Amino acid sequence: MAEREPEGFGERERTSAREERERESTATTLPPIQDRIGAWLDDRLRLSRFARDALGKVFPDHWSFMLGEIALYSFVVLVLTGIFLTFFYEPSSASTTYVGSYNPLRGLEVSNAYASTLRLSFGVRAGLVMRQTHHWAAVVFLGAIVVHLCRVFFTGAFRRPRELNWIIGVTMLLLALFNGFSGYSLPDDLLSGTGLRIMYSVIQSVPLVGPWMAFLLFGGEFPSDQILGRLFVLHIFLVPVLLGGLLAAHLALIWHQKHTQFREPGRTERNVVGSRLWPTYALKSAGLFFIIAAVLTALGGLVQINPVWLYGPFEPAQVSSPAQPDWYLGWLEGALRLFPNWEIRAFGFEIPEPFFPAVLLPGITFGLLYAWPFLERWVMKDRAEHHLLDRPRDRPWPTALGAATLTFYGVLFAAASNDLLAHWFALDIETVTTVFRVLSLVLPPIVGYVTLRVCRGLRNAGDVRLLQMPVSAMRTPRARRR
Amino acid sequence: MDRHEDGRPRVSSSQRSGHGVAVGVAFGASVLASLGLAVVYVLGGQPQLEGALLLVALGSIGVGLVVWAKRFMPVGVDEEAREPLPSRPEEREVAEETFEAGAELVGRRRVLVRMLAAALGALGVALLFPIRSLGRAPGSALFQTKWRAGVRAVRANGVPVRASEMVAGTVVTVFPEGDIGVADSQTLLIGLEPGTYRPLPGREEWAPEDVVGYSKICTHVGCPVGLYQPAEHLLFCPCHQSAFDVLNGAMPVAGPAARPLPQLPLSIDVDGYLIAQDDFPEPVGPGFWARSRG
Amino acid sequence: MRTPIAVAVPVAAALALAGAACSYFAEEETSPYRPPGITSEVAPLGAGRTLYERDCAWCHGSAGEGTAFGPDLNGPLDGGAYTHFMLITGRMPLEAPNERAVPAPSRYEAAQIDAIVAHVETFGGTGPDVPTPDPSAGDLTQGAELYLQNCAACHSATGAGGALTSGQEVPDLLHTSAVAVAEAMVVGPGCPNTSPTCGAGEGAMPRFELSDQDMNSIVRYVLYLQQPEDQGGAPIGRVGPVAEGAVALGVGLVVLLLAARWIGTRTGDRG
């Protein structure tokens, strides 16, 4: 909204700023150091108006608006620990003899990548804590993203004018998924190498171009000697830069459009009520960052994660069981375990079975995620701007669909542990798999229906919290408008 | 929490000083923990101690900051107006006019615009070509392994396998001699009880002395099928639980695999070692578009 | 009913969990199989033959010739190692003939086991004798290599065990003895549920021809896996990403969500 500033405006500004500083300097005895720095910068950058606006900017205080910050600060921890790791990790498949301090593997022929990971874990002070904190941060990072996505979805925060931010967010989820997978594949251990083999075969299953894509991306037949180097560049440079840029855009959009808020007394579509950035919000947010860093580093030192020295180096003819990916790919792994052995063969060509659960399903998943704001707008015929959030109960159909979808992916996620469940509870693995197959089809509609009824019940029961809702309120078949 | 109109908490001064002490103690604990971290590092480092001290060092600062904010700062009482997000119509018009004025100047030379588009398009297409450098063409790589007629089957340590060693119930992973560790050639040799082998048509001579050979690469998504259950003669893949019947051409009997494990035709050389008669009759591993056309 | 959800759901869940726990943890008194009509008299302990006649002959026959209830004990795999393994790992004797042989506390003392084994060896089985592994003579790295090549697929790289088809289990290796490990590799034991009479090569586990040095090395590595150097902290079961994800989400993320709830406001609050 730039109005053309009248000529000589700058001079007038400078003069009044200088006058103001002179006035101030006579009011105080010695200007403190921050005044000096502030003045030095302001003299060159005209920061005062921006500073006043920024420091006074109001942010709503609701706790669920901090979920994105949990993701953001986990990412910060990832970058900081990751930088440390890059100084010690070697992204090379070339063979070497491990001669480090971990006795059971000393003398074994392993890749440089694996040997450097062991050296980092056992031979570098603070190396193991850094590596484990990095991995814990990655796993929590994705959890925070998913929880944040759910909050945004169930409160309708993606509606106009925030569709663009939703798209940016879904893209960041994809990038985070990729970086997590590539990150834990870098040590070249037996477990992650098996995951790479699966990824290669999934790419290979794409019709027409599958083998070409696999050969191009990996640099040849599996296991190529180039994949580690490529994953390394993507993992430490390309994807973090993209994530950083998208993050900046994400935050800039929130800044520019102002955050949404719940319907509470005093909140309207035309205001933002909360705390100012300075000092309250800044202190709270900084406090959250330190708490996140504390939890992640505590896990990093106290709870073992990804003990690659026990898995051993990756060898193409070896495998360990149980074999699962990190949790955020559990839904894909479960889909691969549950989908029946159906292949399409015609005219000498075939679409192999993995294509359906591992390419088509994720494609549909992310396609729907990207399209959701536009789908919902089309169905609900809602083109208005929304700065006030809805409670999930006030959006019963999207909430029910969201709950059903979460249930579906939750069942797939649980199915990825079918062998562990069979082992721990002395069950038949075939039975466990069949049960999950049935649940994946039957449970989502049930959960969706129950959610719909609960939403309506909550609305019928008046303004009650979920746990205080009387069960009878769900009995009424239709929502009564009060 | 009860708050004044200006947002600061409504607490007594003794409560407020209590909060202040709490924050101070937290920051002090952090200082001690940071000192502890330095000491632990100098003494050689220990991950669990480092983790616990980091928890205190970082967490105390965090908790202190939050208590400071909640107990001493105004919360939740500030208000800001939202300006309408769309630009005002007249602003939009000015922006559009500014753009169109320039676009009109450029667009007058339609031929040039089209040639520029052609140039940029051609350049874009040309710049895609280096992608091809990322890898070689699949060619026949997926259709063959390193097994050839007469090549001995050797263990990972290079020792060849005698047929007489492969008694019933034994299983061993082998590679072609000279190509140990080549991923696509990994093969399982399994010893069967006499009379139990039920060959597919044409494969009667593929399992000499009741030793049968199958590709170890699962036809689902390529994991090594490392689990062998001798009683049921089942090969079981740990990744997605496909099971293959060893007596019956490694047909999949459970799980998401849709095709059997390719069988390696075996023979015995003059010294009693197991050798391959030929490469696998079909591509090993997971499926792909033109697999049947190789 | 006007029961709030806050009461109804937890009560229902608690009842369901209690029911599941009761059935899961129900312990039954166990005893070796006896054909109907035989009372469980106490025979004098000591001689292997006495113990064998009392507890084993019902299914395996007085001379180890096998019956309709159990396999013979005089085959090409039978002998000291197989019998010793079954007894020290508590897989034998079974409570009922068609039960699955699973690891359990051993029913006998060492001297009794040796006596029974000596008696079974007289039946004429040509299987290997009880091995005498010497883990300290093994090479730890070679053991690791051989273990990862041959054992990790079923028993897990960390020795945590796993699942097979038809409800069968791969036991963990975390509480087993050196001699049991050696015996298992040499004999390939395990009587699967699907076969009423198991015989040579019909175990749940394959057999491996190993040199003494290889066997010692693998045994040494398995013993190492029972007490590995968990330098990273609490090992949370050593089952990999499943447990790690549970901790990350169930502990890490939950703590951070609670922290967010503490830091921020709830609807209706004023800070």
Side-chain angles (χ1 to χ4, degrees):
Chain A
M1 199 187 320
E3 288 164 283
R4 306 276 312 249
E5 293 182 85
E7 302 285 356
F9 181 74
E11 286 170 18
R12 240 187 291 147
E13 267 290 302
R14 275 200 300 275
T15 319
S16 66
R18 200 180 330 120
E19 277 172 21
E20 213 174 280
R21 273 205 306 281
E22 276 168 339
R23 248 181 280 129
E24 259 187 57
S25 65
T26 55
T28 58
T29 41
L30 271 172
I33 189 69
Q34 51 255 50
D35 273 0
R36 282 204 159 125
I37 296 178
W40 190 90
L41 286 169
D42 186 58
D43 282 342
R44 290 150 180 77
L45 298 171
R46 205 191 304 148
L47 289 176
S48 295
R49 177 177 291 175
F50 172 74
R52 185 203 63 204
D53 290 342
L55 296 175
K57 199 168 180 66
V58 175
F59 289 90
D61 290 297
H62 197 266
W63 68 272
S64 68
F65 301 158
M66 305 192 130
L67 303 178
E69 279 173 60
I70 299 181
L72 168 66
Y73 292 137
S74 304
F75 181 65
V76 170
V77 172
L78 278 171
V79 171
L80 292 175
T81 51
I83 291 174
F84 182 87
L85 299 179
T86 54
F87 294 129
F88 298 97
Y89 171 76
E90 288 179 40
S92 154
S93 317
S95 239
T96 182
T97 311
Y98 175 66
V99 291
S101 62
Y102 183 66
N103 284 330
L105 298 181
R106 186 184 296 162
L108 211 57
E109 286 293 308
V110 301
S111 62
N112 278 331
Y114 188 75
S116 70
T117 308
L118 290 184
R119 196 168 44 243
L120 166 69
S121 302
F122 298 124
V124 173
R125 267 188 226 183
L128 190 55
V129 171
M130 288 284 189
R131 207 193 117 224
Q132 298 201 148
T133 302
H134 191 75
H135 202 142
W136 284 116
V139 184
V140 169
F141 177 46
L142 273 139
I145 293 179
V146 169
V147 174
H148 171 62
L149 182 152
C150 288
R151 194 284 293 169
V152 169
F153 176 83
F154 284 110
T155 55
F158 54 82
R159 293 174 294 180
R160 177 176 168 175
R162 294 177 177 82
E163 303 96 324
L164 193 53
N165 236 8
W166 170 267
I167 290 175
I168 292 176
V170 173
T171 310
M172 289 201 286
L173 170 60
L174 265 176
L175 290 171
L177 282 173
F178 176 81
N179 238 29
F181 174 76
S182 59
Y184 74 70
S185 301
L186 289 179
D188 197 31
D189 59 281
L190 189 54
L191 185 60
S192 65
T194 309
L196 273 180
R197 169 75 238 205
I198 296 175
M199 193 59 61
Y200 186 97
S201 308
V202 165
I203 297 172
Q204 190 180 292
S205 76
V206 172
L208 276 165
V209 295
W212 271 94
M213 273 173 59
F215 271 65
L216 281 180
L217 290 172
F218 275 71
E221 206 174 349
F222 186 86
S224 84
D225 55 2
Q226 298 179 45
I227 188 59
L228 286 179
R230 293 181 185 188
L231 287 179
F232 184 64
V233 169
L234 291 170
H235 180 84
I236 74 159
F237 176 62
L238 200 58
V239 171
V241 162
L242 285 172
L243 262 175
L246 287 174
L247 206 49
H250 200 70
L251 295 173
L253 279 170
I254 297 170
W255 185 275
H256 184 54
Q257 295 177 324
K258 297 189 179 32
H259 204 281
T260 52
Q261 56 193 357
F262 283 104
R263 283 172 216 279
E264 296 178 77
R267 276 91 164 151
T268 69
E269 291 276 3
R270 290 204 166 53
N271 69 0
V272 188
V273 177
S275 305
R276 294 203 183 275
L277 176 59
W278 182 253
T280 309
Y281 203 78
L283 256 63
K284 279 190 172 184
S285 199
L288 180 61
F289 167 70
F290 280 101
I291 292 176
I292 290 168
V295 169
L296 294 177
T297 50
L299 284 172
L302 298 171
V303 188
Q304 191 164 271
I305 186 170
N306 204 26
V308 293
W309 53 89
L310 287 177
Y311 301 149
F314 174 66
E315 293 286 339
Q318 289 175 19
V319 69
S320 172
S321 68
Q324 275 90 7
D326 274 6
W327 81 268
Y328 42 84
L329 289 177
W331 57 283
L332 256 184
E333 174 72 10
L336 276 170
R337 293 182 187 214
L338 293 185
F339 198 81
N341 59 351
W342 297 336
E343 298 198 328
I344 299 181
R345 284 184 213 138
F347 309 111
F349 297 108
E350 67 184 44
I351 304 182
E353 184 267 1
F355 174 75
F356 303 103
V359 179
L360 206 54
L361 175 68
I364 295 174
T365 306
F366 279 92
L368 280 175
L369 269 177
Y370 273 116
W372 184 261
F374 311 100
L375 272 177
E376 190 183 287
R377 188 170 71 186
W378 177 60
V379 168
M380 311 281 240
K381 311 240 184 298
D382 176 11
R383 287 189 168 62
E385 238 178 55
H386 292 276
H387 298 289
L388 286 174
L389 296 171
D390 285 338
R391 299 175 84 175
R393 68 189 66 179
D394 296 322
R395 301 160 36 82
W397 276 100
T399 300
L401 277 171
T405 310
L406 280 175
T407 308
F408 175 68
Y409 290 105
V411 170
L412 291 184
F413 166 70
S417 318
N418 61 351
D419 52 352
L420 277 173
L421 292 170
H423 180 55
W424 287 333
F425 300 113
L427 299 167
D428 211 352
I429 204 171
E430 293 89 347
T431 311
V432 171
T433 308
T434 308
V435 165
F436 275 124
R437 278 184 178 154
V438 169
L439 281 179
S440 71
L441 296 172
V442 157
L443 206 54
I446 294 177
V447 168
Y449 177 69
V450 168
T451 309
L452 201 57
R453 293 287 293 270
V454 168
C455 284
R456 293 214 169 119
L458 285 169
R459 278 157 59 168
N460 292 343
D463 187 22
V464 293
R465 292 197 185 271
L466 174 64
L467 294 179
Q468 289 155 10
M469 181 185 88
V471 175
S472 66
M474 289 204 293
R475 287 244 178 96
T476 48
R478 286 189 180 285
R480 279 192 303 247
R481 302 237 168 245
R482 283 172 181 247
Chain B
M1 177 184 314
D2 214 13
R3 289 188 177 265
H4 291 281
E5 279 306 308
D6 65 359
R8 287 179 305 111
R10 196 192 296 273
V11 290
S12 67
S13 62
S14 64
Q15 273 180 311
R16 184 171 303 121
S17 59
H19 296 149
V21 166
V23 174
V25 165
F27 292 154
S30 175
V31 170
L32 291 176
S34 297
L35 285 173
L37 274 172
V39 166
V40 167
Y41 182 91
V42 164
L43 291 180
Q46 206 286 327
Q48 282 72 66
L49 276 178
E50 289 160 8
L53 288 169
L54 280 166
L55 172 65
V56 175
L58 292 163
S60 303
I61 298 179
V63 167
L65 282 172
V66 172
V67 172
W68 199 355
K70 282 171 69 98
R71 303 278 190 248
F72 293 94
M73 312 287 175
V75 172
V77 291
D78 291 298
E79 187 176 332
E80 208 170 51
R82 286 185 199 271
E83 290 149 7
L85 279 170
S87 309
R88 294 200 302 267
E90 50 274 24
E91 290 161 349
R92 203 176 271 190
E93 262 185 57
V94 167
E96 282 173 10
E97 277 167 20
T98 314
F99 177 75
E100 274 163 19
E104 204 249 322
L105 282 174
V106 171
R108 258 184 229 160
R109 303 272 173 217
R110 257 192 291 194
V111 172
L112 292 184
V113 169
R114 292 204 179 126
M115 293 205 62
L116 175 63
L120 290 173
L123 180 63
V125 169
L127 288 177
L128 291 175
F129 276 75
I131 293 177
R132 175 67 179 80
S133 309
L134 285 173
R136 54 195 173 91
S140 60
L142 293 173
F143 291 94
Q144 51 180 270
T145 71
K146 297 290 192 186
W147 289 102
R148 295 288 177 274
V151 172
R152 273 190 191 166
V154 298
R155 296 182 166 85
N157 58 5
V159 173
V161 182
R162 284 184 184 283
S164 52
E165 294 167 5
M166 298 296 302
V167 295
T170 52
V171 62
V172 68
T173 303
V174 295
F175 297 92
E177 190 168 29
D179 287 302
I180 297 174
V182 173
D184 67 356
S185 308
Q186 53 184 284
T187 303
L188 286 167
L189 295 181
I190 301 167
L192 302 173
E193 296 86 348
T196 51
Y197 174 57
R198 294 194 297 271
L200 296 176
R203 299 190 181 184
E204 293 78 4
E205 310 300 323
W206 285 25
E209 295 192 21
D210 302 298
V211 181
V212 71
Y214 293 109
S215 166
K216 195 174 179 183
I217 309 177
C218 186
T219 52
H220 180 226
V221 275
C223 296
V225 184
L227 289 82
Y228 179 54
Q229 299 174 214
E232 293 96 350
H233 307 98
L234 279 182
L235 279 169
F236 189 55
C237 185
C239 287
H240 310 105
Q241 289 82 49
S242 297
F244 303 90
D245 183 357
V246 165
L247 295 178
N248 194 20
M251 284 289 169
V253 294
R259 281 172 296 102
L261 300 172
Q263 183 174 355
L264 187 68
L266 294 171
S267 180
I268 301 178
D269 71 4
V270 293
D271 302 310
Y273 293 112
L274 285 159
I275 57 171
Q277 294 180 30
D278 200 352
D279 198 355
F280 292 95
E282 49 182 338
V284 297
F288 51 96
W289 178 248
R291 192 188 59 88
S292 313
R293 281 182 163 240
Chain C
M1 45 175 181
R2 294 199 59 83
T3 326
I5 283 195
V7 171
V9 167
V11 166
L15 284 173
L17 269 175
C22 279
S23 57
Y24 183 63
F25 287 111
E27 293 263 342
E28 295 157 15
E29 221 4 79
T30 60
S31 59
Y33 172 69
R34 301 266 192 282
I38 307 293
T39 55
S40 53
E41 74 286 358
V42 178
L45 300 170
R49 177 174 176 179
T50 315
L51 289 167
Y52 182 86
E53 293 291 342
R54 187 193 76 180
D55 291 340
C56 321
W58 310 108
C59 297
H60 291 292
S62 285
E65 71 277 13
T67 68
F69 302 117
D72 58 52
L73 298 180
N74 52 14
L77 275 185
D78 294 305
Y82 208 149
T83 317
H84 191 251
F85 177 82
M86 286 303 202
L87 292 174
I88 63 172
T89 60
R91 284 176 164 83
M92 288 289 149
L94 296 175
E95 283 87 56
N98 54 357
E99 257 199 20
R100 190 168 283 160
V102 293
S106 176
R107 192 178 295 283
Y108 307 105
E109 292 160 17
Q112 294 174 308
I113 291 176
D114 290 341
I116 299 176
V117 166
H119 181 66
V120 169
E121 276 172 325
T122 65
F123 295 157
T126 52
D129 296 330
V130 176
T132 50
D134 182 12
S136 56
D139 180 287
L140 192 58
T141 305
Q142 191 199 14
E145 198 174 8
L146 288 168
Y147 181 88
L148 290 170
Q149 281 171 1
N150 297 295
C151 323
C154 292
H155 286 282
S156 177
T158 60
L164 295 172
T165 63
S166 306
Q168 295 173 97
E169 254 196 36
V170 182
D172 67 67
L173 302 176
L174 305 176
H175 308 101
T176 187
S177 63
V179 70
V181 172
E183 286 164 347
M185 290 193 289
V186 146
V187 165
C191 245
N193 203 28
T194 49
S195 159
T197 58
C198 7
E202 284 190 15
M205 172 169 160
R207 303 164 48 207
F208 299 92
E209 302 269 333
L210 297 166
S211 67
D212 282 347
Q213 174 63 10
D214 284 353
M215 177 188 297
N216 288 335
S217 301
I218 296 180
V219 169
R220 182 171 175 179
Y221 188 70
V222 170
L223 293 178
Y224 166 77
L225 284 178
Q226 296 180 353
Q227 284 181 313
E229 319 155 13
D230 288 319
Q231 293 203 23
I236 50 174
R238 290 186 215 104
V239 288
V242 172
E244 294 159 5
V247 168
L249 300 178
V251 174
L253 194 59
V254 164
V255 167
L256 294 178
L257 289 176
L258 291 173
R261 267 180 83 107
W262 174 53
I263 298 173
T265 60
R266 299 177 56 187
T267 40
D269 273 2
R270 284 198 72 204

PDB file of all heavy atoms in Angstrom, chain C residues 21-22 34 42 86 148 187 193 217:
ATOM      1  N   ALA C  21      -5.846 -58.212  30.104  1.00  0.00           N
ATOM      2  CA  ALA C  21      -4.715 -58.553  30.975  1.00  0.00           C
ATOM      3  C   ALA C  21      -4.968 -59.868  31.690  1.00  0.00           C
ATOM      4  O   ALA C  21      -4.076 -60.702  31.830  1.00  0.00           O
ATOM      5  CB  ALA C  21      -4.481 -57.429  31.978  1.00  0.00           C
ATOM      6  N   CYS C  22      -6.185 -60.075  32.152  1.00  0.00           N
ATOM      7  CA  CYS C  22      -6.493 -61.318  32.846  1.00  0.00           C
ATOM      8  C   CYS C  22      -6.225 -62.510  31.955  1.00  0.00           C
ATOM      9  O   CYS C  22      -5.609 -63.482  32.367  1.00  0.00           O
ATOM     10  CB  CYS C  22      -7.971 -61.333  33.279  1.00  0.00           C
ATOM     11  SG  CYS C  22      -8.247 -60.406  34.785  1.00  0.00           S
ATOM     12  N   ARG C  34       0.665 -86.819  30.823  1.00  0.00           N
ATOM     13  CA  ARG C  34       0.401 -88.195  31.248  1.00  0.00           C
ATOM     14  C   ARG C  34      -0.810 -88.683  30.481  1.00  0.00           C
ATOM     15  O   ARG C  34      -1.794 -87.944  30.376  1.00  0.00           O
ATOM     16  CB  ARG C  34       0.045 -88.255  32.749  1.00  0.00           C
ATOM     17  CG  ARG C  34       1.075 -87.731  33.692  1.00  0.00           C
ATOM     18  CD  ARG C  34       1.977 -88.841  34.204  1.00  0.00           C
ATOM     19  NE  ARG C  34       2.776 -88.379  35.301  1.00  0.00           N
ATOM     20  CZ  ARG C  34       3.869 -87.622  35.148  1.00  0.00           C
ATOM     21  NH1 ARG C  34       4.265 -87.259  33.946  1.00  0.00           N
ATOM     22  NH2 ARG C  34       4.564 -87.230  36.205  1.00  0.00           N
ATOM     23  N   VAL C  42       5.180 -89.960  42.473  1.00  0.00           N
ATOM     24  CA  VAL C  42       6.547 -89.428  42.496  1.00  0.00           C
ATOM     25  C   VAL C  42       7.526 -90.583  42.452  1.00  0.00           C
ATOM     26  O   VAL C  42       7.627 -91.360  43.386  1.00  0.00           O
ATOM     27  CB  VAL C  42       6.770 -88.585  43.761  1.00  0.00           C
ATOM     28  CG1 VAL C  42       8.196 -88.076  43.801  1.00  0.00           C
ATOM     29  CG2 VAL C  42       5.789 -87.432  43.784  1.00  0.00           C
ATOM     30  N   MET C  86      16.883 -79.551  24.091  1.00  0.00           N
ATOM     31  CA  MET C  86      15.463 -79.529  24.420  1.00  0.00           C
ATOM     32  C   MET C  86      15.232 -79.442  25.925  1.00  0.00           C
ATOM     33  O   MET C  86      14.281 -78.812  26.386  1.00  0.00           O
ATOM     34  CB  MET C  86      14.779 -80.792  23.868  1.00  0.00           C
ATOM     35  CG  MET C  86      14.595 -80.776  22.363  1.00  0.00           C
ATOM     36  SD  MET C  86      13.649 -79.321  21.832  1.00  0.00           S
ATOM     37  CE  MET C  86      13.032 -79.869  20.275  1.00  0.00           C
ATOM     38  N   LEU C 148      25.671 -61.807  11.514  1.00  0.00           N
ATOM     39  CA  LEU C 148      24.891 -60.942  10.636  1.00  0.00           C
ATOM     40  C   LEU C 148      24.559 -61.646   9.324  1.00  0.00           C
ATOM     41  O   LEU C 148      23.506 -61.426   8.741  1.00  0.00           O
ATOM     42  CB  LEU C 148      25.651 -59.646  10.374  1.00  0.00           C
ATOM     43  CG  LEU C 148      25.747 -58.716  11.580  1.00  0.00           C
ATOM     44  CD1 LEU C 148      26.719 -57.586  11.314  1.00  0.00           C
ATOM     45  CD2 LEU C 148      24.378 -58.140  11.932  1.00  0.00           C
ATOM     46  N   VAL C 187      22.085 -78.523  15.301  1.00  0.00           N
ATOM     47  CA  VAL C 187      20.990 -79.471  15.168  1.00  0.00           C
ATOM     48  C   VAL C 187      19.825 -78.878  14.390  1.00  0.00           C
ATOM     49  O   VAL C 187      19.070 -79.577  13.731  1.00  0.00           O
ATOM     50  CB  VAL C 187      20.540 -79.911  16.580  1.00  0.00           C
ATOM     51  CG1 VAL C 187      19.207 -80.582  16.551  1.00  0.00           C
ATOM     52  CG2 VAL C 187      21.581 -80.797  17.193  1.00  0.00           C
ATOM     53  N   ASN C 193       4.390 -76.958  15.196  1.00  0.00           N
ATOM     54  CA  ASN C 193       3.067 -77.417  15.547  1.00  0.00           C
ATOM     55  C   ASN C 193       2.423 -78.236  14.442  1.00  0.00           C
ATOM     56  O   ASN C 193       1.545 -79.042  14.675  1.00  0.00           O
ATOM     57  CB  ASN C 193       2.187 -76.193  15.855  1.00  0.00           C
ATOM     58  CG  ASN C 193       1.028 -76.547  16.719  1.00  0.00           C
ATOM     59  OD1 ASN C 193       1.103 -77.471  17.486  1.00  0.00           O
ATOM     60  ND2 ASN C 193      -0.037 -75.803  16.580  1.00  0.00           N
ATOM     61  N   SER C 217      33.209 -68.428  17.681  1.00  0.00           N
ATOM     62  CA  SER C 217      33.080 -66.990  17.413  1.00  0.00           C
ATOM     63  C   SER C 217      31.633 -66.548  17.486  1.00  0.00           C
ATOM     64  O   SER C 217      31.315 -65.519  18.082  1.00  0.00           O
ATOM     65  CB  SER C 217      33.651 -66.667  16.028  1.00  0.00           C
ATOM     66  OG  SER C 217      35.004 -67.037  15.954  1.00  0.00           O
TER      67      SER C 217
END
